[in-house]
Amino acid sequence: MTAAVSLLHTGYVGDTVASTVAFVRDGDRLIVTDPGMVRDRSLILGPLRALGVEPGDVTDVVFSHHHPDHTLNAALFPAARFHDHWAIYHGDVWEDRDAEGYELSPSVRLIRTPGHTPEDITTLATTADGVVAFTHLWNTATSVGDAYATDLDALHAGRERVIALAALIVPGHGPAFTPDASTPH
């Protein structure tokens, strides 16, 4: 089985900020990544509905990290389980688990990729075209460093790891890109 991936909103950083929000469908798992800050919630919900998915249909939401620009719109998905670096949250249930290697579905798993924060994780979705990585190891495709990183050495090690795995990278605040020799490590 392979996942299908759609970008719901392409983020940006500058005078204003918005996260890149994505949708992954893997069988009966309907997953949204980083539903954070956007100019208007319709920029998330409109593209989702165009895919035939209502907010209450979303089964899982993954936070790459806990900054508001990546989590602010989580409540749009009332039936979802929420995933971060150390747990799954659903209703009033907090289930401890390590993100490293955790499988959300047959084609979607999480890995730890600290650097921007100590708790950052990356979502890996295996698609027909290869692995897509949803990550905050890069703000955009050309981000050499990270002014807000808590550990630059870990960030660069995480980049090496993701580049070795991914055919496509979806950064925290920009359009998806194909890693190549010019990709900042």
Side-chain angles (χ1 to χ4, degrees):
M1 209 147 95
T2 57
V5 169
S6 301
L7 289 185
L8 300 177
H9 182 265
T10 300
Y12 46 84
V13 176
D15 292 339
T16 59
V17 63
S19 63
T20 298
V21 184
F23 174 71
V24 180
R25 181 187 306 261
D26 190 23
D28 62 353
R29 289 294 178 108
L30 306 177
I31 305 162
V32 171
T33 63
D34 281 349
M37 291 172 63
V38 293
R39 184 177 35 79
D40 187 274
R41 291 177 177 160
S42 66
L43 297 172
I44 296 171
L45 297 177
L48 188 65
R49 286 185 171 123
L51 295 169
V53 178
E54 290 297 319
D57 299 338
V58 171
T59 60
D60 298 270
V61 171
V62 180
F63 303 127
S64 62
H65 61 294
H66 282 283
H67 289 167
D69 56 326
H70 294 271
T71 62
L72 195 63
N73 284 299
L76 292 174
F77 309 104
R81 290 174 295 204
F82 296 89
H83 301 265
D84 69 3
H85 67 104
W86 67 353
I88 303 167
Y89 314 93
H90 190 246
D92 63 352
V93 176
W94 176 319
E95 178 186 340
D96 291 330
R97 64 100 186 90
D98 189 359
E100 180 61 39
Y102 180 77
E103 293 184 4
L104 271 79
S105 68
S107 301
V108 180
R109 68 184 172 104
L110 306 176
I111 61 172
R112 285 186 168 274
T113 51
H116 180 67
T117 73
E119 296 84 20
D120 268 54
I121 61 174
T122 294
T123 303
L124 300 173
T126 301
T127 72
D129 296 321
V131 173
V132 178
F134 305 90
T135 187
H136 203 289
L137 289 166
W138 293 264
N139 281 318
T140 68
T142 59
S143 299
V144 174
D146 182 338
Y148 301 103
T150 59
D151 185 337
L152 280 173
D153 290 336
L155 181 99
H156 294 297
R159 286 180 174 186
E160 294 292 337
R161 183 178 185 196
V162 168
I163 287 170
L165 297 169
L168 186 70
I169 296 172
V170 179
H173 298 281
F177 65 92
T178 302
D180 61 23
S182 68
T183 300
H185 288 239

